[in-house]
Amino acid sequence: MNKQPKKIKLSQIRLETSYRNREKDLSLELSIRRGGLKVPLIVEEESENQYVLVDGYRRFYALEFLEIEDAECIVEVVSSEEERIVKRLGIELHTKKRTSYQLERMVNRLLENEKNDAKLIASLCNVTEGTITKYIKGSDVNPDWLRRGEQTGAGRHAFTDIHKLKINEETKNYVADQYIDRKINKSTVDVIKKATSEKAFKDVPEENLKECIDQIIEQHTKRYETVKEVVSESSLRAGYTKSSHTFMHNITLNLLARIEKIFNNGYYVNYLSTKQKDKLTNSLHNLLQTINPPIKWSDFPKDEQFNESKEDEGGESLEH
């Protein structure tokens, strides 16, 4: 049975840690001004006419700003600060109203009690252990990243991935700065994570890491070009269209420019084996023949056939 809300003066409600930045929420304030408080606050009764707020800090701050003196509240039996955090965390995990930064602070506060672990907190909040674990596994992330990221609205979980990248700290900071400044997003970080896990990446000199990261970011942001390539190639296989032909021609020129760049790298060309060189030569020869196929005798006009008897430069027959 649902409890009936009770009107309580804001001055009688005590606040604990809000775990969120106390900032103006104009949309909420406007909503309350127009239609009143639609969702009651949740409080616990500590004594007569004295309560502690459990859930509804954002609404409380909006009411306070609007100079509204009382609010509808659901009153519950008093518990402990830790139990109230569990209640709030459970509500937030199911409604997803708070940011990951705020949820992480709540989970870490509960973990200050050695009796609590991810499994117990998950059970109390009626979520999976993995849901709680993801707010724990990044506890050693650079706090300055988190502070700045929260200010710019960058998502929390990407910082854990950046922290675990197999690159030096300077380059990690470079990637983090790009993410904090919203120049890249979580999906770009995922691509960087995958790229830096490649076996060949470990051989990239440290002085070239930033340039390599920039190229990864550039290719990722242009990933739709790959889709256009698939569409244009499929179109061109079915028949000639100028737009598809031009698109594929430009891709070919770019690929050849990349090949030329590789061939200009002495450490690549000078260490090619004879077998590798032969294979490359044959491949290039085949490509050139595709563009300019060799002339077949059958292609010559009949009126331009050679004389059956071959003569030397002096005009004498070579046959005896």
Side-chain angles (χ1 to χ4, degrees), residues 269-309:
V269 175
N270 295 338
Y271 287 87
L272 286 170
S273 66
T274 301
K275 185 176 180 181
Q276 289 173 327
K277 287 181 180 179
D278 289 341
K279 192 170 183 178
L280 282 171
T281 300
N282 288 334
S283 295
L284 292 171
H285 178 69
N286 291 336
L287 285 174
L288 290 173
Q289 283 197 329
T290 302
I291 298 174
N292 294 304
I295 299 176
K296 300 178 182 178
W297 284 107
S298 59
D299 294 334
F300 279 90
K302 292 182 179 180
D303 58 350
E304 292 184 20
Q305 297 292 336
F306 288 103
N307 293 328
E308 291 183 4
S309 62

Side-chain angles (χ1 to χ4, degrees), residues 135-157:
Y135 295 105
I136 300 173
K137 64 182 181 181
S139 58
D140 52 351
V141 171
N142 187 328
D144 183 59
W145 294 356
L146 302 182
R147 178 186 60 78
R148 293 163 55 209
E150 189 170 12
Q151 289 176 346
T152 63
R156 165 64 184 85
H157 295 306

Side-chain angles (χ1 to χ4, degrees), residues 147-250:
R147 178 186 60 78
R148 293 163 55 209
E150 189 170 12
Q151 289 176 346
T152 63
R156 165 64 184 85
H157 295 306
F159 287 118
T160 300
D161 291 333
I162 296 172
H163 173 71
K164 293 184 177 181
L165 291 175
K166 297 176 182 178
I167 54 180
N168 59 43
E169 290 302 317
E170 181 182 355
T171 311
K172 283 184 185 179
N173 282 320
Y174 177 71
V175 176
D177 287 342
Q178 298 285 307
Y179 181 67
I180 291 168
D181 293 339
R182 312 301 292 276
K183 294 179 180 177
I184 62 175
N185 56 25
K186 176 65 165 62
S187 62
T188 311
V189 173
D190 290 339
V191 171
I192 294 172
K193 179 182 177 181
K194 182 178 179 180
T196 55
S197 297
E198 295 286 346
K199 184 177 179 182
F201 189 85
K202 67 180 182 181
D203 296 324
V204 178
E206 288 199 358
E207 61 269 21
N208 295 339
L209 284 179
K210 286 184 181 179
E211 180 183 356
C212 184
I213 293 293
D214 283 338
Q215 290 175 352
I216 293 170
I217 292 172
E218 181 181 357
Q219 292 302 315
H220 173 68
T221 57
K222 294 180 179 179
R223 64 191 180 281
Y224 187 65
E225 294 296 300
T226 305
V227 178
K228 289 179 67 176
E229 180 181 345
V230 171
V231 174
S232 295
E233 185 177 2
S234 299
S235 171
L236 209 55
R237 285 184 183 279
Y240 170 82
T241 60
K242 184 176 180 180
S243 59
S244 293
H245 186 275
T246 301
F247 185 83
M248 295 305 297
H249 178 63
N250 290 333

